[in-house]
Amino acid sequence: MIGGNRQNGFSLIELMVAMTITAMITGSTVVNLRSSTAAKNRAARQMQLQQETRMAVNTIATALRNAYRSGGNRMVLEGVDDSIGQMPADRVRLLAISRQTVRPDQPESDVKELEFGLVIPTDVGASQLPVLMRRADPTRNKQPDGGGVVEQLASNVLALDLDYHDGLKWRDDWPKDTKGWPVVIRIRLVVLAGSAARSVDLDLADPAMLAESRWAWRTSRIVNFPRRAMPNKRDKQ
């Protein structure tokens, strides 16, 4: 008989080695799974940021395209050139045709006063970066009553810049007593990723540098205002 009696099974050392290898494989799988999940979450947040930024700019552009231009005292467009720190924080106010309900179950006009601008949040624990707000007022209140319903369009905003072309040159603002309307309005919005805004590694005191970083998402729109043809003498006759 060759060999002695041999018991089937593993020795204690073999079991320890097998358990160690199993633990290493399991740990590596968990780490890779967490890393993959974190990457997917970052991509999802980035996509949500991009969609929010596009929707915010499209909301402003849609309001401008639907501007109510009847002439007279109701011809309202006011563009204010402002800043927060080093970055543009412009505001624009206008009358626009909108069928969106502002106050449910209350009579409203189709012509609403809309205003867009940046506001520093005051909530505890919130990012100190501005948020883009829209104020919609369906009533015809006399100034300085700035009533209406305010809602947030985008958060962690680094810059909101609006430029107005009068047919000859670009202007930073459009005073409300300006005769006529601009030929073109350019809207530019820069938003910082939410996760980046909460990171201690980023210097929020230098938004100009952040606006050019990979953490920022930039989008813009151009809104044209075609000139209305003026009737000539022959048409009048």
Side-chain angles (χ1 to χ4, degrees), residues 201-222:
D201 299 329
L202 295 177
D203 183 10
L204 295 180
D206 191 1
M209 181 184 69
L210 290 177
E212 300 300 328
S213 70
R214 64 186 179 91
W215 301 102
W217 174 257
R218 295 164 290 274
T219 187
S220 62
R221 292 290 184 276
I222 292 289

Side-chain angles (χ1 to χ4, degrees), residues 13 22 36-37 67 74 85-86 121 141 147 164-165 180:
I13 295 177
T22 301
S36 176
T37 302
R74 303 206 63 202
Q86 305 174 12
N141 301 326
Y164 310 84
H165 201 284

Side-chain angles (χ1 to χ4, degrees), residues 65-121:
R65 293 189 184 101
N66 293 329
Y68 183 73
R69 297 187 289 165
S70 66
N73 296 328
R74 303 206 63 202
M75 189 173 181
V76 176
L77 175 66
E78 181 181 18
V80 178
D81 181 33
D82 203 351
S83 64
I84 297 178
Q86 305 174 12
M87 300 302 293
D90 295 347
R91 291 183 292 111
V92 62
R93 183 177 66 90
L94 72 152
L95 291 178
I97 301 173
S98 173
R99 291 180 173 82
Q100 181 178 358
T101 301
V102 177
R103 297 188 180 96
D105 303 326
Q106 294 188 24
E108 295 184 354
S109 170
D110 287 344
V111 179
K112 299 176 175 61
E113 180 180 305
L114 302 179
E115 184 175 6
F116 301 89
L118 301 186
V119 177
I120 298 292

